[in-house]
Each structure stands twice: as C-alpha cells, then as structure tokens.
Amino acid sequence: SQQGEEDPQALSIQEGENATMNCSYKTSINNLQWYRQNSGRGLVHLILIRSNEREKHSGRLRVTLDTSKKSSSLLITASRAADTASYFCATDLGANSKLTFGKGITLSVRP
Amino acid sequence: DARVTQTPRHKVTEMGQEVTMRCQPILGHNTVFWYRQTMMQGLELLAYFRNRAPLDDSGMPKDRFSAEMPDATLATLKIQPSEPRDSAVYFCASGWAGTVNNEQFFGPGTRLTVL
C-alpha cells in the first residue's frame, strides 16, 4: 500500500471555514511535504516539515508532524474558493531525494 | 521565472505508435523525475535521474518504456509500442538533491490518449 495515505479522500467546506487534511505513513521519514494540484495542472509544493520539527506555518497553512504516530496534518485557515484543488502528502525516506506520494485529497471550497 | 516545461501538452495516438515526451528541467537542478498519474493508481514514479545518470527506473515497464537525459537541459520518455492502458498524464519534475529542502518542481504534464 501507499507510504503516505491521506484522509479524508474528499472534503467539501464553505468559504471562510478551516480545512484539515491528514496523512499517515508507514516508515521513518527524513521529511514530509504537502503539494497542491489544481485541475489540469502540475503539482505545486506548499510546505515541507522535517522529521525533527513538530509544527510549521506558512501564511494560512499550518502543518504538524507526529513521528510517534507517523502522521501529519495540513490545516488551511479561512479557506477561499481558490483553495479548491487536490492536496497530496509526500514522504522523503532520505534515499536519493525520491518522494512517495499519497493518492490525494480533493478539497472543494464553496463560495 | 524558472519553471519546468513539457512538450507536447496533449497527445492522441493510436495503439502501436511510438510516443516521445520531452521535458526541460529548471536550470541548475540535478535531479529529474518522471511520474504517471491516473485516477486509479494516483501518482506513480516511473524513473528518475541525478546528474543525468539513471538512478531508478523500477517503476517503468521495461519492455516498452525508456527514459533518457541526452543533456542537462532535456529529458525524454518514450513509449514504443504504445497501448491504451498507457493513457494517463505524464509529469516531469526537477529538484536539487543534496539539500535538506528537496522539494520538487513539476511541469504542466503531457496528457496522453492512446486509442
């Protein structure tokens, strides 16, 4: 199965609400990254958290990492319609910079 | 504004034909990745290169797929012969290995349809 698995598979919220997406993984990691993919486009890197970090912020994004539970969460605060996209977590096992991606979460933000 | 470019953006071909997809990584990046994305399988890593040398192509069907980097500014992915099950979006990504922040920069993808 996937190294990184996101939860839920799909999320629909109202504009202005917060969106929380979760990712679980199986083996020790070097870092964990979140990417966004708009429809018909390539993936765009959002944020990276290293294995020795517990929380990181970037604008309206907040990511946490719990290495004991092998899980991460991505919080988008005050969501906007433009946040509608698929979100992927990717794990770096520290070997050759290869990333393993989950299957993604589809986020819909209703205006 | 440095970005990864891919050509063609769309390709429709018939089963049995050869398909070549091209990627220009961001100048200065030393790793290049080829991914395939489908609804069923999600994003799969096909092959990747560091300093133009292939590091891992275990995700690629060897009998019909081949990936090369003729020079630092060009990566190619070929399918010969193509089959309907190869229909997918193929992404190229580049990055810089050897740093702690090994984010990948993705191209816009090539949408391949094999009839």
Side-chain angles (χ1 to χ4, degrees):
Chain A
S1 61
Q2 299 278 0
Q3 159 71 344
E5 294 190 5
E6 296 95 343
D7 168 63
Q9 289 188 326
L11 182 61
S12 181
I13 59 174
Q14 198 73 35
E15 202 166 29
E17 293 180 340
N18 296 340
T20 300
M21 292 167 272
N22 303 300
C23 171
S24 60
Y25 57 92
K26 298 184 186 305
T27 60
S28 296
I29 60 171
N30 191 42
N31 67 60
L32 185 144
Q33 304 178 27
W34 286 91
Y35 287 76
R36 182 187 73 226
Q37 184 180 31
N38 289 91
S39 181
R41 304 284 188 93
L43 279 72
V44 174
H45 180 266
L46 292 177
I47 195 166
L48 178 153
I49 187 164
R50 300 175 199 170
S51 59
N52 62 352
E53 296 176 315
R54 291 297 166 257
E55 187 171 315
K56 209 164 180 182
H57 297 254
S58 176
R60 293 184 295 113
L61 304 180
R62 171 178 169 254
V63 64
T64 62
L65 180 65
D66 187 334
T67 53
S68 66
K69 294 181 179 178
K70 291 186 169 58
S71 67
S72 173
S73 67
L74 174 68
L75 169 68
I76 304 175
T77 59
S79 64
R80 305 167 182 168
D83 295 327
T84 294
S86 293
Y87 291 81
F88 296 82
C89 71
T91 50
D92 173 14
L93 305 185
N96 294 320
S97 301
K98 188 170 71 169
L99 298 178
T100 303
F101 287 83
K103 290 203 171 183
I105 298 170
T106 301
L107 173 66
S108 297
V109 181
R110 303 185 302 273
Chain B
D1 184 24
R3 59 183 67 187
V4 176
T5 59
Q6 291 185 247
T7 56
R9 292 294 311 278
H10 302 272
K11 176 73 175 178
V12 179
T13 191
E14 293 189 345
M15 184 173 61
Q17 296 298 304
E18 177 178 302
V19 175
T20 299
M21 291 169 270
R22 293 178 174 81
C23 166
Q24 181 171 7
I26 292 173
L27 190 65
H29 283 179
N30 66 352
T31 52
V32 173
F33 304 84
W34 281 105
Y35 293 92
R36 175 172 63 185
Q37 186 177 40
T38 61
M39 288 294 292
M40 292 297 295
Q41 300 298 326
L43 199 63
E44 303 173 278
L45 178 65
L46 297 176
Y48 70 105
F49 297 79
R50 180 185 288 184
N51 297 322
R52 295 178 54 203
L55 279 193
D56 185 355
D57 61 2
S58 60
M60 204 163 64
K62 301 290 191 305
D63 56 339
R64 299 183 299 108
F65 285 59
S66 62
E68 294 180 347
M69 277 202 76
D71 61 61
T73 64
L74 177 64
T76 62
L77 180 67
K78 288 187 181 179
I79 308 174
Q80 168 62 22
S82 58
E83 298 181 0
R85 59 179 167 154
D86 301 329
S87 296
V89 181
Y90 291 81
F91 289 103
C92 172
S94 69
W96 180 250
T99 69
V100 294
N101 293 332
N102 59 334
E103 65 182 275
Q104 293 182 15
F105 295 78
F106 281 73
T110 294
R111 182 174 295 275
L112 174 65
T113 302
V114 183
L115 303 174

